[in-house]
Amino acid sequence: MEDRGLPGSWQRQEADAGARQYAASLRFESNGLYFGTAEPAGAFTWWDQGRWEIRGPNTLALSTANDEVVSYRFELAGDELSITDAAGCRVRYRRSG
């Protein structure tokens, strides 16, 4: 699986209004698994844990809280990751650790 530099830990920097349903932090593993955490701890996050896969030059597929696999547009530039959903909500992350 092509990882394009995604494996590692990511911390949310900012998000568009309406995108707070997405994880405050993400950890992508090279084996295709990911883990998300919410803020505050125990709150709901649509990206909780599951599988991830790059499906095109700017397409990231994630299994979501209801196990549906959803494709998102993503941009990765160094330690900056931006993920945008189909409604146009964008979440920006910075590599941590």
Side-chain angles (χ1 to χ4, degrees):
M1 172 175 66
E2 179 186 15
D3 68 27
R4 299 261 310 272
L6 278 179
S9 296
W10 300 87
Q11 187 67 39
R12 184 173 61 209
Q13 298 301 296
E14 60 181 72
D16 290 346
R20 294 288 176 187
Q21 65 191 350
Y22 299 123
S25 64
L26 289 169
R27 186 178 83 237
F28 292 100
E29 297 188 350
S30 58
N31 63 2
L33 296 177
Y34 84 92
F35 302 90
T37 57
E39 282 182 8
F44 174 81
T45 178
W46 199 239
W47 299 333
D48 57 354
Q49 63 182 2
R51 300 207 50 85
W52 69 274
E53 178 182 16
I54 293 176
R55 293 194 171 166
N58 295 97
T59 304
L60 172 65
L62 296 172
S63 57
T64 60
N66 69 355
D67 295 328
E68 177 185 9
V69 177
V70 178
S71 292
Y72 300 91
R73 182 174 171 9
F74 84 101
E75 297 175 43
L76 180 62
D79 289 339
E80 302 288 329
L81 170 65
S82 177
I83 302 173
T84 306
D85 69 16
C89 289
R90 182 167 59 171
V91 188
R92 292 183 202 114
Y93 292 90
R94 184 169 210 24
R95 191 179 301 275
S96 60

